[in-house]
Amino acid sequence: MPSWCPLLCRLAMLLCVWAPCQAQSDTELPPGTPIIQLRLAGDKRKHYEGRVEVYYNGEWGTVCDDDFSIHAANILCRELGFVEAVSWSPSSKYGKGEGRIWLDNVHCSGRERTLAQCKSNGFGVSDCKHSEDVGVVCNQRRIPGFKFISSFTNSVESLNVQIEEVRIRAIYSQRKRVPITEGYLEVKDGGKWRQICDEEWTEMNNRVICGMYGFPGEKGYNTKVYKLLAKRRKKNYWDFGVNCTGNEASLHGCKLGHKVELKGNATCEKGMPVVVSCVPGRAFAPSYTQGFSKAYRVEQPLVRLRGGANTGDGRVEVLKNGEWGTVCDDSWNLKAASVVCRELGFGSAKEALAGGRLGQGMGPVHMNEVECSGFEKSLTECYFNRDALGCSHEEDAAVRCNVPAMGFQNKLRLSGGRNPFEGRVEVLAEKNDSLVWGTVCSDSWGTMEATVVCRQLGLGFASNAFQETWYWPGDVRADDVVMSGVRCSGTEMTLAQCLHHGKHLHCPRGGGRFAAGVSCSESAPDLVLNAQVVEHTTYLEDRPMYILQCANEEHCLSSSAATATPSSYRRLMRFSSQIHNNGQSDFRPRAAHNSWVWHDCHRHYHSMEVFTHYDLLSLNGTKVAEGHKASFCLEDTQCEEGTEKRYECANFGQQGITVGCWDTYRHDIDCQWIDVTDVVPGDYIFQQKKKMSLFQDPIFQR
């Protein structure tokens, strides 16, 4: 999309929030099957239980408990993405609902694909009261690969008025800015773009518009400029006002204001077209314009996101008493999620996720039953139940935030792959005063760089980084290298933000068949170090050199060991390492069985030559000692309750770490140390790097 294009927002593409959704299926429902939506609602409840509510004919209603059965509960839970029902509850256990009682005397065989296929009295035919509203408890486990599709209409609430699109149309002087933060607000109605009269427009409306575009706040603008422009151009007003509370995730959630009387040029004679001006988060603020110097800045972070593949997605974690912990999903909603998103410099939340959907955290669950007004500056200001207990990490809350349209995806592409998630990386770069597509040099290309590519394209996590791509025939016109020396930390939003050679290209192998490539995945393992285990098991041991010969052969000692005599001693900092897989897919070594390396001295195979790096850093970040651990036995040492072990090293078995399990390397295993023989006494930082994850432990004293 050219940089001058206005921002567009398709309101029809609404995301499901707590469960008002339809299951995605491979086959169509039989003709004539009513289209319904389901959700679980009610008083104090978990995300997998609640009062059954049905959306039909534009209205939410409930289901009567007469003749309800576990078969009906199973159909309902599966339709919401859970594997099955555990139980159902009569007599409005989760509180009385409101509105119509849509279904009564529901009879399901258990083979139906939707509750709408079950026999009943018919929609709206009931002699029940809301004291008979039925509730269900679903199994917490979700159907693998289950996806939600929202089938809500794109009408503003309270009236069936169709809005096709919404945009902020920048004036000429700002159209080349990215992101576009200011301009006339226009809605597309009946195929035509229309302005909104600002006579009843409020700051709360601005807040909602800015939030839906990925901006945490709104600001004032130069009214004289826009009044002058409004007088010069022909106006085409929309015939409704808008009334937002400030907590809506998008304009769709706002109520319609008064109907505007259209009187040609005399329409909105006391006002002018609505202008919106937003404040971008720090990560999205253009640095070259002084006008953006007041961009929203995050103070000392007390909240962070973890486990999300894309910018603005992640499990919510809170810092309390020096320790990071998670938030329980009880009562978790869009208001609380939006507080988190705005606090971190994004817009409003487009989804409040429950049930550990973006991975399970570690450590304590710091907050439960969170209640926010939506206007707090931090999640830590919201009320929560300090006495509530019983939450596990299976109930960790997460968010997906609205982020600004930066056009990042237009400057990068994957070419030649078998599917959209893989291919040769091609970059749009300036060459001889024109923009051309070219390849990226694969020297030093690795997982961190691939992670940034997948994030920039919105394709999830990086599963592989390739230094040869001859098997992916890309566009021959893009064979030339336009980017070299790329080194990423893994946190960048675009490949251009990583360190690279700039215009001074250096790539001895050239592009073409040796160009960099990636494969991306919607799910990935998330390896998390249990820092407390390291702290509790660390100690120093003096060990004679003559019993460290195997470790020396595998380069587990510092360089001075090469000249050490057999009778000398090495001082080792030993510790146990416990690695949890809190992600959404199993962690597996990339190498197949037949390529594992046999080490004769220790008499075992290495499935990965280096699984972990250990670094000892001075307080200014300088590395003073290092170690590493090969993966000779990567297995499920223990698992959470209800999770079965899949990987075991015995008998040359499959290696890996299952989701919900952890692998423990005990302190008494060879190479589970850092050789600190040459390190002077003092305070140091211990850092452990494991594949794509980086962890820092508290200061250790030598």
Side-chain angles (χ1 to χ4, degrees), residues 89-288:
S89 305
S91 305
S92 61
K93 175 184 176 182
Y94 297 98
K96 298 179 182 180
E98 297 178 350
R100 303 280 293 274
I101 297 177
W102 278 126
L103 294 173
D104 188 7
N105 297 114
V106 178
H107 293 270
C108 301
S109 67
R111 294 187 294 272
E112 296 86 355
R113 287 176 37 224
T114 169
L115 199 66
Q117 290 182 293
C118 297
K119 295 179 180 179
S120 69
N121 293 350
F123 282 90
V125 181
S126 173
D127 58 358
C128 294
K129 299 178 181 178
H130 282 298
S131 58
E132 301 171 80
D133 286 343
V134 74
V136 299
V137 178
C138 301
N139 188 308
Q140 296 183 51
R141 293 178 57 196
R142 302 197 67 83
I143 298 172
F146 182 88
K147 294 182 180 179
F148 291 120
I149 296 177
S150 171
S151 62
F152 281 132
T153 60
N154 59 342
S155 59
V156 177
E157 272 187 333
S158 79
L159 282 176
N160 187 26
V161 178
Q162 300 294 315
I163 295 180
E164 299 157 34
E165 295 174 51
V166 180
R167 71 180 181 185
I168 297 176
R169 185 175 60 82
I171 60 176
Y172 297 108
S173 62
Q174 298 189 25
R175 285 187 179 176
K176 291 186 178 181
R177 289 183 178 176
V178 178
I180 293 176
T181 60
E182 183 177 297
Y184 290 109
L185 180 68
E186 297 184 337
V187 297
K188 198 173 188 180
D189 181 26
K192 295 182 179 180
W193 287 106
R194 305 178 189 274
Q195 299 82 43
I196 300 177
C197 177
D198 71 352
E199 288 180 358
E200 296 183 356
W201 192 258
T202 67
E203 289 187 8
M204 292 299 101
N205 296 354
N206 282 335
R207 174 181 167 87
V208 171
I209 297 299
C210 290
M212 68 187 282
Y213 279 112
F215 304 118
E218 63 284 346
K219 63 182 178 67
Y221 59 91
N222 188 338
T223 56
K224 292 182 180 179
V225 173
Y226 287 95
K227 281 183 178 179
L228 183 62
L229 288 173
K231 289 179 180 179
R232 292 179 178 177
R233 66 187 301 271
K234 184 179 179 181
K235 295 174 284 295
N236 184 16
Y237 282 106
W238 191 43
D239 50 358
F240 288 96
V242 178
N243 184 13
C244 304
T245 65
N247 276 324
E248 294 85 356
S250 71
L251 191 64
H252 169 272
C254 300
K255 293 182 179 180
L256 288 174
H258 294 108
K259 188 172 177 62
V260 176
E261 186 179 354
L262 301 180
K263 299 180 291 185
N265 291 334
T267 304
C268 195
E269 56 187 350
K270 294 182 181 179
M272 59 178 267
V274 166
V275 175
V276 175
S277 184
C278 306
V279 183
R282 186 175 185 180
F284 306 101
S287 58
Y288 57 86

Side-chain angles (χ1 to χ4, degrees), residues 547-556 600-602 670-671:
I547 61 174
L548 294 173
Q549 293 306 311
C550 283
N552 197 28
E553 286 183 20
E554 294 188 9
H555 309 291
C556 295
D600 197 53
C601 191
H602 276 134
D670 238 12
C671 295

Side-chain angles (χ1 to χ4, degrees), residues 448 527 529 534 554-556 573 575 577 579 608-617 623 625-631 665 671-675 685-697:
M448 291 300 182
L527 302 183
L529 171 72
V534 177
E554 294 188 9
H555 309 291
C556 295
M573 188 180 82
F575 48 88
S577 177
I579 305 299
M608 296 170 62
E609 193 58 34
V610 177
F611 174 60
T612 310
H613 288 279
Y614 308 128
D615 295 332
L616 201 65
L617 310 176
K623 186 189 296 186
E626 63 182 350
H628 72 271
K629 183 68 178 177
S631 173
Y665 279 84
C671 295
Q672 189 61 37
W673 63 57
I674 293 180
D675 184 354
I685 298 172
F686 174 48
Q687 177 175 276
Q688 183 162 336
K689 292 182 287 187
K690 202 167 285 286
K691 292 304 289 180
M692 290 172 58
S693 303
L694 174 65
F695 313 96
Q696 281 195 352
D697 285 331

Side-chain angles (χ1 to χ4, degrees), residues 625-683:
E626 63 182 350
H628 72 271
K629 183 68 178 177
S631 173
F632 71 87
C633 179
L634 194 63
E635 65 179 5
D636 297 327
T637 307
Q638 287 181 279
C639 298
E640 295 172 355
E641 185 177 352
T643 302
E644 293 185 6
K645 296 181 180 180
R646 295 183 184 176
Y647 305 106
E648 189 175 4
C649 296
N651 302 317
F652 198 41
Q654 292 286 343
Q655 292 194 24
I657 309 177
T658 304
V659 174
C661 300
W662 55 91
D663 174 50
T664 302
Y665 279 84
R666 285 175 50 86
H667 55 82
D668 52 2
I669 297 176
D670 238 12
C671 295
Q672 189 61 37
W673 63 57
I674 293 180
D675 184 354
V676 295
T677 305
D678 306 318
V679 178
V680 299
D683 291 342

